[in-house]
Amino acid sequence: MTDTALLEAAVPLITAWYRDNGRPLPWREDPSPYHVWISEIMLQQTRIEAVIPYYARFLDAFPTVRDLADCDDDRLMKLWEGLGYYSRARNLKKAAIAVAENYGGELPETAAELKKLPGIGDYTAGAIASIAHGQPEPAVDGNVMRVVSRLLCDGGDIADPAVKKRMTADLREIYPMGDESRCLTEGIMELGEVICIPSGAPRCGSCPLSGICRGHLTGTAENYPFKSPKKPRKIEHRTVFLIRCGTKYAIRRRTEGLLIGMWEFPSVMGHLSSDECADAVREMGMEPLAVEKSVTAKHIFTHAEWHMIGYAVDTAAQSRDFVWADAGEIRENYAIPTALKKYAAETAK
Ligand code: SF4
């Protein structure tokens, strides 16, 4: 059987399996374009269980594209707080504004039009087009590539964008339309999540593809997919300052780099001694009265790691370069990234 014929033979097996076995997730109850879009963006790099409460709160706050387009930035960030990868939230709002202005408040139907919106790449465009609009458009992520690699015994490097492009084109050739399209996109992803799993042996005994899967039939499934090793993450050493004046702490909005738009405690690159810390605070225009070591913390992003040390610094006067807030205000009103949560917790002690 050719690869195309094998892919084609897999389609009805996957869609029938999905109809019988698909998990009842909140965004599947009413797979409108808006619901699929929000859920797919939240699910990027984030586990389903973690997304469910965020999804419910988000839709309560912004039930339509227009509500999202008109929302307050700080409210949006607060609702996203803890999900990480905050550029996703900023792009959601930008795209909602574009949809309200250019598409009459309705997300476009085709993947090509969807990809013109901020934050919507090949995968998300394919998911919205196929799940919500029944278009013959695949949504290829790591789960899908794993299933396809094992089904076909395809040894292409799934870290190579050319391999992803090729698999997407091959799937597009055999993709069905209408409800079959929705069930194929949902089904193949779900198969990759719960049956043809990423770690440990694939559960071929429960898989609808076991009768045709080359990987299973030849006993080589676990050799696939092939993935070239990742580059090591960049390590950044940082010193975080908890600068306190009375009960208030200095915070500022990040204007560049990772976590742009979020609130943070002032920080500098490098691990400073307490004397260097006092000098750094003077450079910020404040006279330190007392400097004490605070907690250390480590946070891992996709491409970088922050290794942080902290200092608690008392000062007599508030610099106007910062916003000053007490522990309660920080907790309620300012979206502090998970990377700095340990420092936010220190303000409440
Ligand atoms: S039969 Fe096994 S290896 Fe093949 S797709 Fe199913 S779970 Fe994966």
Side-chain angles (χ1 to χ4, degrees), residues 53-291:
Y54 280 91
Y55 176 80
R57 284 195 293 268
F58 196 93
L59 283 191
D60 269 354
F62 314 125
T64 68
V65 173
R66 288 189 194 277
D67 295 318
L68 176 57
D70 295 339
C71 78
D72 172 72
D73 286 350
D74 279 329
R75 187 160 182 230
L76 174 65
M77 285 305 176
K78 198 71 197 155
L79 278 164
W80 206 268
E81 191 181 24
L83 264 184
Y85 304 98
Y86 292 87
S87 59
R88 295 184 294 175
R90 282 187 294 276
N91 279 332
L92 274 178
K93 179 169 175 183
K94 280 189 211 156
I97 292 170
V99 170
E101 285 176 359
N102 307 330
Y103 297 93
E106 301 287 339
L107 279 144
E109 286 199 9
T110 65
E113 282 296 309
L114 285 161
K115 277 194 278 184
K116 292 180 184 167
L117 297 168
I120 298 192
D122 292 340
Y123 168 79
T124 310
I128 300 169
S130 59
I131 297 171
H133 294 300
Q135 299 275 320
E137 186 64 39
V140 177
D141 68 353
N143 286 322
V144 174
M145 285 195 281
R146 181 167 56 260
V147 173
V148 171
S149 302
R150 289 175 175 171
L151 172 69
L152 303 178
C153 284
D154 182 330
D157 177 1
I158 59 163
D160 177 356
V163 170
K164 187 173 185 180
K165 215 169 158 187
R166 168 172 60 74
M167 281 189 189
T168 305
D170 291 347
L171 281 168
R172 194 178 287 121
E173 267 189 42
I174 54 90
Y175 231 73
M177 304 214 17
D179 200 50
E180 278 291 280
S181 173
R182 173 182 73 85
C183 290
L184 180 57
T185 297
E186 294 275 31
I188 195 167
M189 283 196 266
E190 183 133 339
L191 206 55
E193 274 163 29
V194 301
I195 304 285
C196 199
I197 49 178
S199 339
R203 298 169 181 153
C204 304
S206 309
C207 181
L209 303 181
S210 58
I212 60 169
C213 173
R214 286 184 194 142
H216 173 59
L217 295 173
T218 57
T220 59
E222 284 183 72
N223 297 344
Y224 301 94
F226 171 70
K227 190 174 182 187
S228 55
K230 275 190 195 161
K231 280 194 213 145
R233 289 192 202 95
K234 190 172 151 209
I235 307 241
E236 288 184 9
H237 294 109
R238 307 180 80 89
T239 301
V240 179
F241 306 108
L242 293 170
I243 305 173
R244 185 173 52 196
C245 181
T247 59
K248 305 269 187 182
Y249 288 84
I251 56 173
R252 65 185 176 192
R253 203 191 274 280
R254 283 182 69 78
T255 53
E256 58 185 8
L258 286 166
L259 308 172
I260 191 167
M262 302 287 293
W263 290 85
E264 67 169 3
F265 302 101
S267 66
V268 296
M269 295 295 268
H271 283 173
L272 305 191
S273 67
S274 59
D275 284 350
E276 288 168 330
C277 165
D279 287 343
V281 172
R282 280 187 199 103
E283 276 174 32
M284 293 178 212
M286 291 167 284
E287 187 53 36
L289 302 175
V291 175

Side-chain angles (χ1 to χ4, degrees), residues 7 48 91 114 207 256 310 317 332 342 346:
L7 283 175
I48 288 176
N91 279 332
L114 285 161
C207 181
E256 58 185 8
E332 297 298 325
K342 216 168 159 187
E346 285 299 296

Side-chain angles (χ1 to χ4, degrees), residues 290-322:
V291 175
E292 247 182 60
K293 274 217 156 141
S294 179
V295 290
T296 60
K298 180 170 153 183
H299 190 77
I300 298 176
F301 299 92
T302 310
H303 302 296
E305 286 181 25
W306 283 3
H307 293 196
M308 296 168 280
I309 61 166
Y311 286 98
V313 182
D314 282 323
T315 181
Q318 297 180 356
S319 157
R320 287 206 188 153
D321 292 342
F322 299 96

